[in-house]
Amino acid sequence: MSATTRVPRGVVAGNWKMHMGPDETRAFLAALSPRQGPGRPQVLLFPPAVSLAAAVAAAPSWVGLGVQNIHWEDKGAFTGEISAPLARAAGATHALIGHSERRHVFGEKDAEVARKSAAALRHGLIPVVCVGETLAERRAGQANPVILRQLDAALEGLTGSGVGFLIAYEPVWAIGTGETATPQDAADAQGVLRGRLRERIGGDADRVSILYGGSVKPDNAAELMAAPNVDGVLVGGASLEALSFTRIVDAAPDR
Ligand code: PGA
């Protein structure tokens, strides 16, 4: 590897969705015990916002914490929403943006993803921008155009930030379905995303961690994370249990 080659950081992230209250959060963190040391992946957790304070109080220093969504405005009359400054003040360092459930259940659009990405960066939150095609889009041969459109839109809000963001490729057909993309599927899509990042941000693209998400389990995590351009994983269901999440973190290769 040449001195100029930059390796993206390995990352294993858990998206708890609408699970895990404060007590469950504390119990999870007390039981989380992956191998630590040089070359081990960064561990990120995205608890529900109501459990963030418990997570901040209980998390060891090697666990980064984020929120699952933010609003693009800094403050105002937006009942039920959380702004980037509020998330930061509560101890979040990261924010999931454009998760497929936000896009497909709550109708979030590319333009909103861009505005949320920009809001996160404005306030020092690291965005983890999710992209991914539906099964119908994949069957119609539209997978790459869809994920590139989503990435391009997000980059409108990310441009100029250098490497201060992560991308998660999460094919919608693989989320919560038990249907995992093969390591080759993930490598193909993530190679396409890396190529577009290189066009847009040059050599910094090689430092952006691109995660795979969709039915990642302890048994398939190692082979997914061994695939080219898969710098880590974003885990839903299998991140709810400390032992299973510990096994996924331990399945990450040293970098
Ligand atoms: P899953 O969810 O691991 O339960 O498929 C992944 C995600 O939605 O981030």
Side-chain angles (χ1 to χ4, degrees), residues 22 25-26 29 47-59 65 90-91:
T25 297
R26 282 185 280 270
L29 286 165
V50 291
S51 297
L52 185 59
V56 167
L65 295 167

Short mmCIF file of all heavy atoms in Angstrom, two decimals, residues 22 25-26 29 47-59 65 90-91:
data_model
loop_
_atom_site.label_atom_id
_atom_site.label_comp_id
_atom_site.label_asym_id
_atom_site.label_seq_id
_atom_site.Cartn_x
_atom_site.Cartn_y
_atom_site.Cartn_z
N PRO A 22 -34.45 3.52 28.33
CA PRO A 22 -33.25 3.81 29.11
C PRO A 22 -32.71 2.60 29.89
O PRO A 22 -31.50 2.37 29.91
CB PRO A 22 -33.69 4.94 30.04
CG PRO A 22 -34.82 5.60 29.29
CD PRO A 22 -35.52 4.52 28.53
N THR A 25 -31.13 0.20 27.57
CA THR A 25 -29.91 0.81 27.04
C THR A 25 -28.75 0.62 28.01
O THR A 25 -27.65 0.21 27.63
CB THR A 25 -30.16 2.31 26.77
OG1 THR A 25 -31.16 2.41 25.76
CG2 THR A 25 -28.90 3.03 26.34
N ARG A 26 -29.02 0.88 29.29
CA ARG A 26 -27.96 0.70 30.31
C ARG A 26 -27.54 -0.76 30.39
O ARG A 26 -26.34 -1.08 30.45
CB ARG A 26 -28.46 1.18 31.68
CG ARG A 26 -28.43 2.69 31.84
CD ARG A 26 -28.83 3.11 33.26
NE ARG A 26 -30.27 3.10 33.44
CZ ARG A 26 -31.06 4.16 33.19
NH1 ARG A 26 -30.55 5.30 32.79
NH2 ARG A 26 -32.37 4.07 33.36
N LEU A 29 -25.35 -1.68 27.37
CA LEU A 29 -23.99 -1.13 27.41
C LEU A 29 -23.13 -1.82 28.46
O LEU A 29 -21.92 -1.98 28.28
CB LEU A 29 -24.05 0.39 27.62
CG LEU A 29 -24.51 1.13 26.36
CD1 LEU A 29 -24.90 2.56 26.68
CD2 LEU A 29 -23.40 1.11 25.29
N PRO A 47 -29.47 4.97 19.49
CA PRO A 47 -30.64 4.65 20.30
C PRO A 47 -31.78 5.60 19.96
O PRO A 47 -31.56 6.63 19.32
CB PRO A 47 -30.14 4.90 21.73
CG PRO A 47 -29.01 5.85 21.61
CD PRO A 47 -28.43 5.70 20.22
N PRO A 48 -33.00 5.28 20.40
CA PRO A 48 -34.06 6.28 20.28
C PRO A 48 -33.67 7.51 21.10
O PRO A 48 -32.96 7.39 22.10
CB PRO A 48 -35.29 5.59 20.88
CG PRO A 48 -34.85 4.28 21.41
CD PRO A 48 -33.41 4.06 21.07
N ALA A 49 -34.14 8.67 20.69
CA ALA A 49 -33.70 9.92 21.32
C ALA A 49 -33.97 9.92 22.83
O ALA A 49 -33.18 10.47 23.60
CB ALA A 49 -34.39 11.11 20.65
N VAL A 50 -35.06 9.27 23.26
CA VAL A 50 -35.38 9.28 24.69
C VAL A 50 -34.39 8.46 25.51
O VAL A 50 -34.37 8.56 26.74
CB VAL A 50 -36.82 8.77 24.97
CG1 VAL A 50 -37.85 9.76 24.44
CG2 VAL A 50 -37.03 7.37 24.41
N SER A 51 -33.58 7.65 24.85
CA SER A 51 -32.58 6.85 25.58
C SER A 51 -31.17 7.39 25.40
O SER A 51 -30.21 6.81 25.91
CB SER A 51 -32.63 5.39 25.09
OG SER A 51 -33.88 4.81 25.40
N LEU A 52 -31.04 8.52 24.70
CA LEU A 52 -29.69 9.05 24.43
C LEU A 52 -28.98 9.44 25.73
O LEU A 52 -27.79 9.14 25.91
CB LEU A 52 -29.78 10.24 23.47
CG LEU A 52 -28.46 10.83 22.99
CD1 LEU A 52 -27.60 9.79 22.28
CD2 LEU A 52 -28.72 12.01 22.05
N ALA A 53 -29.71 10.09 26.65
CA ALA A 53 -29.05 10.53 27.89
C ALA A 53 -28.55 9.32 28.68
O ALA A 53 -27.43 9.33 29.21
CB ALA A 53 -30.03 11.34 28.74
N ALA A 54 -29.34 8.26 28.73
CA ALA A 54 -28.90 7.05 29.43
C ALA A 54 -27.68 6.46 28.75
O ALA A 54 -26.73 6.00 29.40
CB ALA A 54 -30.04 6.02 29.46
N ALA A 55 -27.67 6.50 27.41
CA ALA A 55 -26.54 5.96 26.66
C ALA A 55 -25.29 6.80 26.91
O ALA A 55 -24.20 6.26 27.13
CB ALA A 55 -26.87 5.91 25.18
N VAL A 56 -25.45 8.11 26.89
CA VAL A 56 -24.29 8.99 27.12
C VAL A 56 -23.69 8.71 28.50
O VAL A 56 -22.48 8.64 28.67
CB VAL A 56 -24.71 10.47 26.99
CG1 VAL A 56 -23.63 11.40 27.52
CG2 VAL A 56 -25.05 10.80 25.53
N ALA A 57 -24.56 8.52 29.49
CA ALA A 57 -24.06 8.30 30.86
C ALA A 57 -23.39 6.93 31.00
O ALA A 57 -22.44 6.78 31.77
CB ALA A 57 -25.22 8.43 31.85
N ALA A 58 -23.86 5.95 30.25
CA ALA A 58 -23.38 4.58 30.47
C ALA A 58 -22.35 4.11 29.46
O ALA A 58 -21.68 3.09 29.69
CB ALA A 58 -24.59 3.62 30.44
N ALA A 59 -22.19 4.81 28.35
CA ALA A 59 -21.35 4.27 27.27
C ALA A 59 -19.87 4.43 27.58
O ALA A 59 -19.44 5.49 28.04
CB ALA A 59 -21.67 4.97 25.96
N LEU A 65 -22.16 7.84 19.79
CA LEU A 65 -23.63 7.81 19.87
C LEU A 65 -24.25 8.79 18.89
O LEU A 65 -23.72 9.89 18.68
CB LEU A 65 -24.06 8.16 21.30
CG LEU A 65 -23.63 7.14 22.35
CD1 LEU A 65 -23.81 7.70 23.74
CD2 LEU A 65 -24.41 5.83 22.18
N ALA A 90 -27.30 17.08 23.54
CA ALA A 90 -27.63 15.89 24.32
C ALA A 90 -26.54 14.83 24.25
O ALA A 90 -26.67 13.76 24.83
CB ALA A 90 -28.97 15.32 23.84
N GLY A 91 -25.48 15.11 23.50
CA GLY A 91 -24.35 14.18 23.51
C GLY A 91 -24.17 13.35 22.25
O GLY A 91 -23.28 12.50 22.19
#
